[in-house]
Amino acid sequence: MNVALLSGGVGGARFARGLVSAVEPAGVTVIGNVGDDLDVLGLAVSPDLDSIIYALAGLHDEERGWGRSGETWEALGTVSSLGGEDWFRLGDRDLGLHLVRTQALRSGEPLSAVTARLARALGIEAAIVPATDDRLRTWIDTPAGSFPFQEWFVARGHRDEVDGVRFEGEARPAPGVHEALAGADAIVIAPSNPYVSIWPILAVEEIRAALAARRVPCVAVSPLVGGRAVRGPADRMLARMAGGTTPAHVAGCYAGLIDALVVDESDSAGLLAVRRIVTQTLMTDLDASRRLAEVVLGAAA
Ligand code: GDP
Ligand code: CA
């Protein structure tokens, strides 16, 4: 079975791990958000792709949800003691990946090619593809001004309320994205933040168009449990920008693009424009992630 998964970082990576344990990994293509990508200390960092890579390679830190397990922070400590830029946390183990990617990008290798190479080197069978090789950046509009995504999210601790999100850059799908969507038996939208993880992927016009014109089911998983984000600002963003945190508000983020929404048992049962599938969506461990993936695939069958 071929599955194309649109994914952000933490929630997306947790789901991706369940998905590749529920189906033949070679049939899975994870299309990752790059709207959060940034330069840190001269290094090219792709936080969402990295969360997916580490999760599928089994190197991820389960509790933190991002970065590597067994991580240490000596290099960052040196940066701090030297008065360097230390607001974005890069661990010692993590650094190596950024070094390899940065060198590759500098030498002209596209992000999709270096991402595939990193995944292969770590023994990952699924394909991991950035939504685009072009520069696409998420901007957050708040009452305190407009900020690049990571400045709002990390440096300001996503405290500012969000009035809108914008995507800078004309982007074409990376090689492999179109093929994955066209060849998929099911398209899945991970339980990621709709506004800042999935919308930047859909901001690539050809990806949005492919979803709108799909001939196979597209199933989204809500990132909310009981109307609350498991972590992060998705609930506050939905409340302010969509007017609420029910399944209908989540589905509204994907209007015309999905056939079904998978929601948690604890969520409200109000009217929904697409098919509703109710299950336990909290991915407490790999088993829970796999069960959720199986429900999603069942909904797409
Ligand atoms: P980010 O790029 O690291 O912010 O990651 P994502 O956008 O992929 O994931 C963040 C979203 O994942 C948040 O809105 C969380 O509510 C959601 N999330 C995290 N863990 C779970 C879970 O176990 N179940 C569900 N349904 N959503 C989750
Ligand atoms: Ca992200």
Side-chain angles (χ1 to χ4, degrees), residues 6 187-190 194 198-199 202 208 210-214 216-222 247-263 272-277:
L6 275 56
I187 301 170
V188 180
I189 297 181
I198 303 300
W199 278 15
L202 299 172
R208 172 178 288 275
L211 256 64
R214 69 195 176 282
V216 297
C218 179
V219 180
V221 185
S222 171
H249 294 103
V250 174
C253 292
Y254 305 130
L257 303 178
I258 61 172
D259 303 291
L261 182 69
V262 176
V263 303
L272 200 58
V274 297
R275 194 149 64 87
R276 174 204 321 267
I277 290 102

Side-chain angles (χ1 to χ4, degrees), residues 8-12 14 48 191-193 197 222-223 229-231 234 281-283:
V10 174
R14 280 188 184 144
D48 287 5
S192 291
N193 185 313
S197 289
S222 171
V230 177
R231 68 161 65 177
T281 70
L282 198 58
M283 298 175 285

Side-chain angles (χ1 to χ4, degrees), residues 99-110 114 117:
L99 292 169
V100 172
R101 173 169 45 219
T102 302
Q103 184 192 38
L105 293 176
R106 288 227 181 106
S107 73
E109 193 175 347
V114 63
R117 197 151 61 74

